[in-house]
């Protein structure tokens, strides 16, 4: 199977990744900034991209900036924030029409790269500070994003499990920072943090589409950054599991949330990584998995039951929604399914079905430009080089014994239960 070739070019202070392909009708630009997850900077990093994309020196209001995007044939610009293991990643993404399909041959790609440079390097600064109004507005928006986690009980339970499980580790730090730190950020202090991030973050620019590699490289010469300090990735340190932690919390909710965290000691780039993906797929990753069939379908213990792997931290997280009185039974059956997996109690059919689903999921992901970039960026975050083809080949090659072997490394760490008020006895 032919997968796209990634051209990696070291530029001044950043890395340029070009993927030339005629698969998409649009061209996509994705800018990534990564730094270690830290309490002092997390709230700043959650606020910064929203302020930067609101206005620039040349486009001093959001209305003016968005109007210019419309002129570029409806080019989109948006930001995102993610935790990748113990790295905090800011993303700026742009989708633009491919000028080859336009009658007037507007140099859209060059204009989009110019605009990205404007957003990143020519912010709306007055007297050493960001625009006060913009910062005030985005601080209010950030508070709403942080508070919204409390209202979404599935997300809240996932967040609380990680907080309890990874106490004292950077991974426990909230993606959007802390509510009580937002007010203390000023337009001046945010600008100081911006300068620090531009100086020190690991910077990567992905450009994907039907483009000319030499031209793209030439357009990107305008990006000039200070050379980075040593950006070598420190592997997430997995805490040694001692006694299993059991945490219960009570709120006024109708459906309890039972989340269980396991340490796998396996991260992206490790030889066992794809066998770990297979283990999770059979255990709880898909609708044909053991958790879905046994916990939800056969026993009717849960409204939902699934598991996922945190690829860069080496965690396997089980998520389920249950009635309060079914807590003991649900914990028991979830743990039992884990023990059966470790013992190799799964069929060849389950094995083959999971291989097929993982491969289809991968092919679906790389079928979109942004999905392909996310897969390629795993290598940057992990400081490794896993070829795209491995996502197909390594899964195909995984044996039952490989899956049993990774199971031996998996240890139960924390059980977190968010119960309804009638569930205090649970």
């Amino acid at each position: 199977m032919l997968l796209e070739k990634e051209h990696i070019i070291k530029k001044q202070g950043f890395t340029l990744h070009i993927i030339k392909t005629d698969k998409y009708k649009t061209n996509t630009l994705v800018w990534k900034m990564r730094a270690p997850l830290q309490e002092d900077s997390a709230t700043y990093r959650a606020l910064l991209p929203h302020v930067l994309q609101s206005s620039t020196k040349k486009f001093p209001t959001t209305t003016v900036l968005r109007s210019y995007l419309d002129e570029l044939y409806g080019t989109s610009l948006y930001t995102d924030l993610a935790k990748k293991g113990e790295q905090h990643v800011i993303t700026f993404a742009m989708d633009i029409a491919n000028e080859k399909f336009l009658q007037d041959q507007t140099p859209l790609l060059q204009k989009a790269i110019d605009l990205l440079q404007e957003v990143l390097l020519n912010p709306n600064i007055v007297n050493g500070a960001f625009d006060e109004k913009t910062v005030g507005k985005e601080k209010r928006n950030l508070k709403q994003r942080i508070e919204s986690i409390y209202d979404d009980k599935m997300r809240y339970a996932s967040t609380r499990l990680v907080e309890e499980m990874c106490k004292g580790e950077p991974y426990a730090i909230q993606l959007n920072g802390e509510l009580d730190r937002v007010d203390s950020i000023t337009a001046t202090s945010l600008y100081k943090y911006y300068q620090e991030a531009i100086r020190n973050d690991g910077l990567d620019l992905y450009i994907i589409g039907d483009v000319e590699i030499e031209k793209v490289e030439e357009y990107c010469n305008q990006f000039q950054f200070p050379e980075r300090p040593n950006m070598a990735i420190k592997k997430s340190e997995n805490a040694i599991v001692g006694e299993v932690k059991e945490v219960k919390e009570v709120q006024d909710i109708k459906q309890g949330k039972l989340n269980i965290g396991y340490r796998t000691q396996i991260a992206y780039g490790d030889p066992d990584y794809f066998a770990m993906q297979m283990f999770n797929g059979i255990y709880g990753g898909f609708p044909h998995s053991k958790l879905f069939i046994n916990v939800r379908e056969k026993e009717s213990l849960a409204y939902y039951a699934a598991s996922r792997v945190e690829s860069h931290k080496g965690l396997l997280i089980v998520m389920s929604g249950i009635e309060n009185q079914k807590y003991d039974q649900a914990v028991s059956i979830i743990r039992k399914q884990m023990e059966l997996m470790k013992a190799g109690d799964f069929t060849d059919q389950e094995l083959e079905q999971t291989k097929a689903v993982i491969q289809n999921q991968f092919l679906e992901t790389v079928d979109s430009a942004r999905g392909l970039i996310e897969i390629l960026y795993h290598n940057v975050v992990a400081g490794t080089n896993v070829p795209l083809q491995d996502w197909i080949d390594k899964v195909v090659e995984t044996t039952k014994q490989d899956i049993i072997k990774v199971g031996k490394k998996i240890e139960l760490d924390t059980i977190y239960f968010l119960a309804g008020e009638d569930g205090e006895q649970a």
Side-chain angles (χ1 to χ4, degrees):
M1 187 190 63
L2 195 63
L3 291 165
E4 312 304 339
K5 180 172 166 49
E6 178 185 16
H7 299 268
I8 302 173
I9 303 157
K10 290 286 176 196
K11 305 292 277 182
Q12 188 175 319
F14 75 102
T15 304
L16 176 61
H17 309 251
I18 306 171
I19 300 102
K20 179 177 169 58
T21 174
D22 58 7
K23 190 191 282 185
Y24 315 111
K25 288 282 187 283
T26 57
N27 293 328
T28 299
L29 284 68
V30 172
W31 177 263
K32 300 270 191 187
M33 303 174 63
R34 67 185 161 81
L37 261 170
Q38 292 173 338
E39 268 183 38
D40 290 345
S41 63
T43 315
Y44 278 95
R45 292 184 75 78
L47 180 62
L48 179 62
H50 295 277
V51 170
L52 288 174
Q53 73 150 2
S54 286
S55 61
T56 72
K57 191 56 95 179
K58 187 175 172 184
F59 305 103
T61 67
T62 304
T63 307
V64 173
L65 178 56
R66 295 288 150 184
S67 172
Y68 180 66
L69 285 165
D70 287 341
E71 283 175 35
L72 299 181
Y73 292 85
T75 294
S76 65
L77 167 67
Y78 71 94
T79 66
D80 192 24
L81 197 63
K83 285 198 311 191
K84 303 277 187 188
E86 289 172 349
Q87 299 282 307
H88 207 185
V89 180
I90 293 170
T91 298
F92 291 85
M94 296 177 77
D95 289 312
I96 53 170
N98 188 326
E99 57 219 50
K100 291 182 180 182
F101 300 108
L102 300 177
Q103 286 181 327
D104 64 358
Q105 298 295 295
T106 305
L108 272 186
L109 181 61
Q110 186 173 2
K111 283 176 180 276
I113 292 170
D114 291 347
L115 180 58
L116 183 62
Q117 192 247 7
E118 171 77 14
V119 167
L120 293 169
L121 293 175
N122 197 20
N124 195 7
I125 302 301
V126 181
N127 300 325
F130 281 108
D131 175 62
E132 293 275 0
K133 250 172 90 173
T134 302
V135 172
K137 178 187 78 173
E138 293 304 338
K139 278 168 72 170
R140 289 191 294 277
N141 290 341
L142 177 57
K143 283 181 176 179
Q144 284 174 357
R145 283 195 297 279
I146 294 170
E147 286 168 341
S148 72
I149 293 169
Y150 186 82
D151 299 326
D152 181 341
K153 296 309 176 189
M154 279 175 75
R155 273 174 72 208
Y156 177 80
S158 293
T159 302
R160 287 287 296 117
L161 171 72
V162 168
E163 278 181 346
E164 294 292 342
M165 187 175 177
C166 301
K167 213 172 264 184
E169 300 169 57
Y171 193 67
I173 295 166
Q174 293 277 357
L175 175 66
N176 285 305
E178 299 295 334
L179 191 63
D180 58 10
R181 289 179 182 246
V182 177
D183 284 337
S184 64
I185 297 176
T186 65
T188 304
S189 69
L190 185 63
Y191 181 56
K192 278 186 183 156
Y193 180 75
Y194 157 81
Q195 292 174 302
E196 197 182 302
I198 288 293
R199 225 174 18 247
N200 297 321
D201 273 24
L203 305 175
D204 292 85
L205 173 57
Y206 290 81
I207 298 182
I208 182 167
D210 194 0
V211 298
E212 301 304 322
I213 291 167
E214 295 76 16
K215 264 191 180 174
V216 169
E217 195 180 348
E218 185 190 320
Y219 295 157
C220 292
N221 285 336
Q222 63 185 293
F223 289 99
Q224 298 286 314
F225 294 92
E227 285 304 336
R228 304 293 94 181
N230 179 15
M231 290 302 293
I233 304 289
K234 268 174 64 183
K235 275 219 158 187
S236 285
E237 286 179 26
N238 261 313
I240 295 162
V241 179
E243 198 176 321
V244 174
K245 287 180 270 188
E246 204 165 349
V247 180
K248 292 183 184 176
E249 191 174 335
V250 176
Q251 287 183 15
D252 182 14
I253 54 172
K254 287 192 170 63
Q255 185 193 110
K257 309 292 175 198
L258 171 62
N259 284 30
I260 299 177
Y262 293 87
R263 304 258 181 187
T264 72
Q265 315 299 336
I266 296 165
Y268 186 84
D270 290 346
D272 291 334
Y273 176 75
F274 291 104
M276 183 70 246
Q277 288 288 347
M278 284 290 298
F279 184 104
N280 179 63
I282 299 170
Y283 175 58
F286 302 115
H288 69 268
S289 66
K290 291 192 174 295
L291 289 185
F292 189 90
I293 288 168
N294 291 290
V295 183
R296 186 178 181 274
E297 301 288 298
K298 282 188 186 170
E299 301 291 338
S300 300
L301 282 174
Y303 301 98
Y304 62 89
S307 66
R308 64 178 177 83
V309 167
E310 206 304 321
S311 294
H312 297 281
K313 180 63 180 165
L315 307 180
L316 188 153
I317 309 286
V318 176
M319 303 143 292
S320 63
I322 64 169
E323 290 172 18
N324 292 322
Q325 64 273 23
K326 293 183 176 173
Y327 171 80
D328 289 330
Q329 202 182 347
V331 169
S332 171
I333 196 166
I334 289 168
R335 293 182 68 170
K336 183 186 173 195
Q337 294 307 314
M338 174 59 76
E339 293 313 311
L340 290 172
M341 279 297 303
K342 290 182 172 197
D345 188 353
F346 52 89
T347 65
D348 289 344
Q349 186 189 352
E350 286 172 293
L351 186 70
E352 294 309 316
Q353 193 174 1
T354 302
K355 285 182 181 182
V357 175
I358 288 176
Q359 287 169 15
N360 286 340
Q361 196 179 57
F362 168 72
L363 292 172
E364 246 175 59
T365 302
V366 298
D367 209 33
S368 77
R370 278 183 244 153
L372 177 55
I373 290 166
E374 286 306 313
I375 295 277
L376 293 171
Y377 192 62
H378 279 308
N379 283 331
V380 175
V381 175
T384 186
N385 183 25
V386 176
L388 281 175
Q389 191 63 42
D390 276 12
W391 287 77
I392 298 292
D393 296 345
K394 298 288 185 193
V395 168
V396 170
E397 292 162 11
T398 301
T399 66
K400 187 167 190 168
Q401 287 312 118
D402 295 331
I403 295 168
I404 293 168
K405 183 180 147 201
V406 298
K408 288 184 166 65
K409 298 184 182 182
I410 299 172
E411 294 179 278
L412 176 60
D413 186 296
T414 304
I415 299 169
Y416 170 83
F417 186 45
L418 177 63
E421 285 177 340
D422 65 339
E424 292 182 67
Q425 77 286 353

